[in-house]
Amino acid sequence: SQSLVRPQPPRSCEDYWWEWKHCRGLRHAFHHYYAHGELPTCDRWREDYEACRAWEKGRAAAAQVRPAPPQRAAASSSGCLWTLRKSPPPDWYLPLDQDKPN
């Protein structure tokens, strides 16, 4: 029989805890209600935190952390999305060609 090895959670457990606390905060709840017309559901962050802790405590086979929702995943990634430049382009001072077709 082959044992299932669960991968390490994509984020630290403290990240899931912070996200859960942030989600439950009054300011976030008010903003979410204003923007979406309903209170946020924060259960997933708590479940992910508990699964992460279970994984840390013994790499429990039942502990599987789901990936973060897309809006949080992009913000929390450590990789750079853009290629960094060493200097500005040579024509940086010229006006943009916004009226020209591509």
Side-chain angles (χ1 to χ4, degrees):
S1 135
Q2 202 175 30
S3 65
L4 294 174
V5 177
R6 301 287 180 189
Q8 181 176 357
R11 302 166 68 181
S12 72
C13 295
E14 288 74 30
D15 288 345
Y16 295 110
W17 178 257
W18 182 88
E19 291 286 357
W20 180 67
K21 295 295 275 185
H22 169 75
C23 184
R24 293 188 60 218
L26 182 61
R27 186 176 198 176
H28 175 73
F30 179 76
H31 173 75
H32 194 276
Y33 187 79
Y34 177 79
H36 303 285
E38 60 186 22
L39 291 174
T41 54
C42 304
D43 298 337
R44 182 173 173 160
W45 290 115
R46 179 68 180 194
E47 291 168 8
D48 287 348
Y49 171 73
E50 290 171 356
C52 184
R53 285 294 179 207
W55 184 86
E56 280 186 344
K57 285 185 179 175
R59 316 289 196 268
Q64 180 179 2
V65 178
R66 293 172 286 186
Q71 67 271 18
R72 297 288 185 194
S76 66
S77 68
S78 60
C80 185
L81 299 176
W82 303 99
T83 304
L84 299 178
R85 294 188 256 199
K86 302 226 184 294
S87 63
D91 59 350
W92 66 270
Y93 58 89
L94 296 175
L96 297 175
D97 295 330
Q98 294 175 350
D99 298 330
K100 290 185 178 180
N102 291 338

